[in-house]
Amino acid sequence: RSVVLGLSDDFEIAYGRRLMAAIAQRAPKLRVIFRQTHSQIVAAALLDRSLDLAITAGGFAQGRLSRQVLGEGDYRCLLDSDQASIDLDEFVTREHVLVSSGGFIGITDEGLAALGLNRRVCASTTHFAALPHLLKGSQAVATIPGHAAQAIGEMSGLRVLPCPLALPRYPVELGWRTQAQLDPLLLKVREAIVASFTWLQPSAC
Protein backbone atom coordinates (compact mmCIF):
# COMPACT_ATOMS: atom_id res chain seq x y z
CA ARG A 1 0.00 0.00 0.00
CA SER A 2 1.10 3.57 -0.51
CA VAL A 3 0.30 6.89 1.18
CA VAL A 4 0.41 10.18 -0.74
CA LEU A 5 1.86 13.02 1.34
CA GLY A 6 1.51 16.53 -0.03
CA LEU A 7 4.19 19.10 0.83
CA SER A 8 6.17 21.84 -0.86
CA ASP A 9 9.73 21.09 -1.83
CA ASP A 10 11.16 23.16 1.05
CA PHE A 11 9.58 20.68 3.48
CA GLU A 12 10.62 17.75 1.30
CA ILE A 13 14.25 18.95 1.23
CA ALA A 14 14.35 19.60 4.98
CA TYR A 15 12.28 16.69 6.32
CA GLY A 16 11.87 14.11 3.54
CA ARG A 17 14.65 11.75 4.67
CA ARG A 18 13.58 11.99 8.31
CA LEU A 19 9.95 11.28 7.34
CA MET A 20 10.98 8.24 5.29
CA ALA A 21 12.83 6.75 8.27
CA ALA A 22 10.05 7.48 10.79
CA ILE A 23 7.33 6.08 8.52
CA ALA A 24 9.38 2.94 7.71
CA GLN A 25 9.81 2.30 11.43
CA ARG A 26 6.06 2.39 12.10
CA ALA A 27 4.75 0.98 8.82
CA PRO A 28 7.35 -1.29 7.16
CA LYS A 29 6.92 -1.86 3.41
CA LEU A 30 4.64 1.14 3.04
CA ARG A 31 5.55 3.37 0.09
CA VAL A 32 5.35 7.08 0.81
CA ILE A 33 4.71 9.24 -2.26
CA PHE A 34 5.78 12.88 -1.90
CA ARG A 35 3.63 15.19 -4.06
CA GLN A 36 4.02 18.93 -4.52
CA THR A 37 1.38 21.17 -2.96
CA HIS A 38 1.05 24.48 -1.12
CA SER A 39 -1.41 26.25 1.17
CA GLN A 40 -3.54 27.73 -1.63
CA ILE A 41 -4.36 24.39 -3.28
CA VAL A 42 -3.96 21.83 -0.49
CA ALA A 43 -7.58 21.75 0.70
CA ALA A 44 -8.92 20.89 -2.77
CA ALA A 45 -6.24 18.21 -3.25
CA LEU A 46 -7.15 16.52 0.04
CA LEU A 47 -10.87 16.66 -0.70
CA ASP A 48 -10.50 15.20 -4.20
CA ARG A 49 -8.33 12.40 -2.71
CA SER A 50 -5.22 13.14 -4.73
CA LEU A 51 -3.52 13.53 -1.31
CA ASP A 52 -3.98 11.44 1.84
CA LEU A 53 -2.11 13.82 4.18
CA ALA A 54 -0.41 17.16 3.73
CA ILE A 55 2.13 19.40 5.46
CA THR A 56 1.85 23.10 4.65
CA ALA A 57 1.92 26.54 6.24
CA GLY A 58 -1.87 26.58 6.71
CA GLY A 59 -4.67 26.14 4.18
CA PHE A 60 -6.82 23.60 6.06
CA ALA A 61 -9.70 25.91 7.06
CA GLN A 62 -12.38 23.70 5.55
CA GLY A 63 -15.18 21.90 7.36
CA ARG A 64 -14.29 18.39 6.13
CA LEU A 65 -10.61 18.67 7.01
CA SER A 66 -8.79 18.21 10.31
CA ARG A 67 -5.42 19.67 11.18
CA GLN A 68 -2.69 19.55 13.79
CA VAL A 69 -0.06 22.22 14.38
CA LEU A 70 3.42 20.71 14.12
CA GLY A 71 5.31 23.86 15.04
CA GLU A 72 6.23 27.22 13.60
CA GLY A 73 8.90 28.44 11.26
CA ASP A 74 10.97 31.54 10.54
CA TYR A 75 12.83 33.04 7.58
CA ARG A 76 16.58 33.12 7.01
CA CYS A 77 18.96 34.32 4.32
CA LEU A 78 20.94 32.02 2.06
CA LEU A 79 23.96 33.33 0.12
CA ASP A 80 27.37 32.39 -1.24
CA SER A 81 29.59 34.17 1.28
CA ASP A 82 31.72 33.55 4.35
CA GLN A 83 30.44 36.62 6.23
CA ALA A 84 28.97 36.24 9.72
CA SER A 85 25.96 38.53 9.33
CA ILE A 86 24.05 40.76 6.91
CA ASP A 87 22.54 44.12 7.83
CA LEU A 88 19.48 45.73 6.30
CA ASP A 89 21.47 48.15 4.11
CA GLU A 90 23.45 45.34 2.49
CA PHE A 91 20.31 43.19 2.28
CA VAL A 92 18.55 45.86 0.21
CA THR A 93 21.63 46.56 -1.93
CA ARG A 94 22.20 42.94 -2.97
CA GLU A 95 20.26 41.32 -5.80
CA HIS A 96 17.68 38.76 -4.70
CA VAL A 97 16.49 35.38 -5.94
CA LEU A 98 12.78 34.98 -5.21
CA VAL A 99 11.18 31.58 -4.59
CA SER A 100 7.48 31.94 -5.31
CA SER A 101 4.66 30.02 -6.99
CA GLY A 102 3.62 33.28 -8.71
CA GLY A 103 7.11 34.59 -9.40
CA PHE A 104 6.46 38.30 -8.77
CA ILE A 105 6.20 39.12 -5.07
CA GLY A 106 7.03 37.50 -1.76
CA ILE A 107 6.72 38.17 1.96
CA THR A 108 10.11 39.92 1.87
CA ASP A 109 8.69 42.56 -0.49
CA GLU A 110 5.80 43.14 1.91
CA GLY A 111 8.18 43.53 4.86
CA LEU A 112 10.38 45.98 2.94
CA ALA A 113 7.37 47.97 1.70
CA ALA A 114 6.28 48.51 5.31
CA LEU A 115 9.64 50.29 5.83
CA GLY A 116 9.39 52.25 2.58
CA LEU A 117 12.07 50.07 0.98
CA ASN A 118 12.23 47.75 -2.00
CA ARG A 119 14.66 45.23 -3.49
CA ARG A 120 15.79 44.16 -6.93
CA VAL A 121 14.84 40.59 -7.82
CA CYS A 122 17.25 39.30 -10.47
CA ALA A 123 15.54 35.91 -10.86
CA SER A 124 12.61 33.94 -9.50
CA THR A 125 11.98 30.21 -9.32
CA THR A 126 9.25 27.89 -8.10
CA HIS A 127 11.78 25.34 -6.78
CA PHE A 128 13.82 25.67 -3.59
CA ALA A 129 16.05 22.87 -4.89
CA ALA A 130 17.33 25.19 -7.64
CA LEU A 131 18.81 27.69 -5.17
CA PRO A 132 22.33 26.18 -4.86
CA HIS A 133 22.70 26.39 -8.64
CA LEU A 134 21.32 29.94 -8.81
CA LEU A 135 23.23 31.37 -5.83
CA LYS A 136 26.68 29.72 -6.12
CA GLY A 137 29.21 32.18 -7.50
CA SER A 138 26.79 35.12 -7.35
CA GLN A 139 26.25 38.09 -5.03
CA ALA A 140 22.52 37.38 -4.77
CA VAL A 141 20.66 36.44 -1.59
CA ALA A 142 17.52 34.35 -1.11
CA THR A 143 15.20 34.77 1.87
CA ILE A 144 13.47 31.45 2.52
CA PRO A 145 11.96 29.38 5.34
CA GLY A 146 14.60 28.59 7.94
CA HIS A 147 14.21 24.80 7.73
CA ALA A 148 14.93 24.86 3.99
CA ALA A 149 17.82 27.31 4.36
CA GLN A 150 19.45 25.08 6.98
CA ALA A 151 19.08 21.91 4.89
CA ILE A 152 20.27 23.55 1.66
CA GLY A 153 23.17 25.25 3.44
CA GLU A 154 24.38 21.98 4.95
CA MET A 155 24.21 20.21 1.60
CA SER A 156 25.62 22.96 -0.63
CA GLY A 157 28.01 24.96 1.55
CA LEU A 158 25.99 28.16 1.12
CA ARG A 159 25.93 30.41 4.20
CA VAL A 160 22.76 30.64 6.30
CA LEU A 161 22.31 33.97 8.11
CA PRO A 162 19.54 35.52 10.23
CA CYS A 163 17.30 37.76 8.15
CA PRO A 164 17.86 41.44 9.05
CA LEU A 165 14.24 42.21 8.18
CA ALA A 166 11.58 41.41 10.79
CA LEU A 167 9.25 38.90 9.14
CA PRO A 168 6.32 37.09 10.80
CA ARG A 169 6.73 33.48 11.87
CA TYR A 170 4.32 31.02 10.26
CA PRO A 171 2.52 27.84 11.37
CA VAL A 172 3.55 24.42 10.10
CA GLU A 173 0.45 22.22 9.99
CA LEU A 174 -0.48 18.63 9.17
CA GLY A 175 -3.90 18.20 7.53
CA TRP A 176 -6.12 15.27 6.51
CA ARG A 177 -9.71 14.40 5.58
CA THR A 178 -11.68 14.11 8.81
CA GLN A 179 -13.47 10.99 7.56
CA ALA A 180 -10.09 9.23 7.22
CA GLN A 181 -9.52 9.69 10.96
CA LEU A 182 -9.92 6.01 11.81
CA ASP A 183 -7.71 4.52 9.07
CA PRO A 184 -5.06 2.71 11.20
CA LEU A 185 -2.35 3.04 8.56
CA LEU A 186 -2.86 6.78 8.15
CA LEU A 187 -2.84 7.09 11.93
CA LYS A 188 0.61 5.46 12.02
CA VAL A 189 1.86 7.80 9.32
CA ARG A 190 0.48 10.80 11.19
CA GLU A 191 2.28 9.66 14.34
CA ALA A 192 5.51 9.35 12.35
CA ILE A 193 5.10 12.86 10.93
CA VAL A 194 4.42 14.39 14.35
CA ALA A 195 7.50 12.61 15.76
CA SER A 196 9.64 13.97 12.89
CA PHE A 197 8.65 17.54 13.69
CA THR A 198 9.00 17.55 17.50
CA TRP A 199 12.17 19.69 17.41
CA LEU A 200 10.27 22.42 15.49
CA GLN A 201 7.71 22.86 18.26
CA PRO A 202 8.25 25.79 20.65
CA SER A 203 8.40 23.52 23.71
CA ALA A 204 11.37 21.69 22.17
CA CYS A 205 13.35 24.86 21.41
Side-chain angles (χ1 to χ4, degrees), residues 13-35:
I13 289 167
Y15 302 113
R17 185 68 193 92
R18 189 181 306 181
L19 288 167
M20 287 165 59
I23 291 169
Q25 187 178 35
R26 290 166 176 79
K29 299 185 180 177
L30 175 73
R31 175 186 297 187
V32 59
I33 300 170
F34 296 128
R35 187 164 291 165

Side-chain angles (χ1 to χ4, degrees), residues 12 18 30 65 69 79 83 101 111 114 124 156 171 175 181 190 198:
E12 190 173 347
R18 189 181 306 181
L30 175 73
L65 299 180
V69 176
L79 62 165
Q83 65 197 74
S101 57
S124 63
S156 67
Q181 190 102 296
R190 277 170 42 204
T198 49

Side-chain angles (χ1 to χ4, degrees), residues 177-199:
R177 289 182 301 281
T178 302
Q179 69 207 39
Q181 190 102 296
L182 300 178
D183 183 323
L185 189 59
L186 287 184
L187 187 58
K188 284 183 179 179
V189 176
R190 277 170 42 204
E191 288 172 354
I193 292 170
V194 171
S196 298
F197 278 80
T198 49
W199 72 274

Side-chain angles (χ1 to χ4, degrees), residues 117-173:
L117 300 170
N118 56 54
R119 62 176 177 167
R120 185 173 115 64
V121 174
C122 61
S124 63
T125 177
T126 56
H127 301 291
F128 289 90
L131 285 175
H133 307 283
L134 300 177
L135 293 174
K136 276 282 191 180
S138 83
Q139 292 298 306
V141 58
T143 305
I144 63 172
H147 56 262
Q150 205 62 44
I152 293 170
E154 288 171 7
M155 189 69 73
S156 67
L158 292 169
R159 178 59 64 99
V160 180
L161 296 176
C163 182
L165 180 66
L167 295 173
R169 296 176 72 87
Y170 54 88
V172 178
E173 297 180 337

